[in-house]
Amino acid sequence: MIRSISRVSLLLSTIVAVAVSVASSSPAHACKCMFPPVEAAREDATAVFEGRVLSIEDVPSAGEPSVGEKLVTLAVVRTWKGVESDERIAVYTNAQSAACGYSFAKDTSYLVYARSSDDKKLNVSSCSRTKPLADAADDLKVLGAGSTPVHIENKAATPAEGTAAPAPAAPTQPVVPAAQPAKKKGCSVTQGGDTRASAASAWLLALPLLVLAGRRRSTRRRAA
């Protein structure tokens, strides 16, 4: 009888030990979700977009250091809300699926529903409607075609570092033609003065000589 009781006690102890071991190895909490309809998920989200995963990094979590987070960078392909001008975007998700973390895979396209947290980061949860794009046909029927984000950059040329900026061009002055001497009707003006005036001056200078020569001739004739 005593041996039977001992065997039962040993069996119960073994069962309790196994139960405690299983309980201690199980997650402290599990993620339980109810997926909202597409319209409600879009309304509740801060950003809704199609993106292709470029990189996934492990980062510490400010809220739950023991859980950690994953920083996921995606190239935005189409957008329906919140990322109209972003070509790349970073989202965070818990590192553990038990803490509602979403499992992204690199080089895979997703339809992402992200919400902004108090610290302005975009977070993605497994309880959102986030899913691989290959499984998002029903969502896309409701969301529509979406739009391509447009990133506008200032393309104004700037001088390279270490080189002086080119001096502004001097304003061009209008070319003013040189003043021309006025012309009288029927007359032509030539450089150096009027030829007629020059000829008249020469005759005035030669006139006394001609008069003197004429007198000498008259005197000689009388003497002869």
Side-chain angles (χ1 to χ4, degrees), residues 144-222:
S147 61
T148 302
V150 179
H151 183 65
I152 301 175
E153 293 183 354
N154 183 9
K155 297 185 180 298
T158 56
E161 185 177 355
T163 60
T172 56
Q173 298 292 337
V175 178
V176 180
Q180 300 293 333
K183 294 183 179 180
K184 295 182 180 179
K185 187 175 181 179
C187 300
S188 61
V189 179
T190 60
Q191 188 175 3
D194 193 347
T195 56
R196 293 183 181 181
S198 300
S201 299
W203 277 108
L204 289 175
L205 293 174
L207 183 60
L209 297 176
L210 292 174
V211 172
L212 181 60
R215 287 180 181 180
R216 287 180 178 179
R217 289 178 182 178
S218 297
T219 302
R220 287 176 182 177
R221 286 177 184 177
R222 289 177 184 177

Side-chain angles (χ1 to χ4, degrees), residues 38 50 78 80 111 113 133 136-146:
V38 177
E50 174 193 340
R78 285 186 292 175
W80 289 268
L111 176 61
Y113 295 82
L133 188 66
D138 293 339
D139 291 64
L140 295 176
K141 288 180 182 178
V142 178
L143 293 173

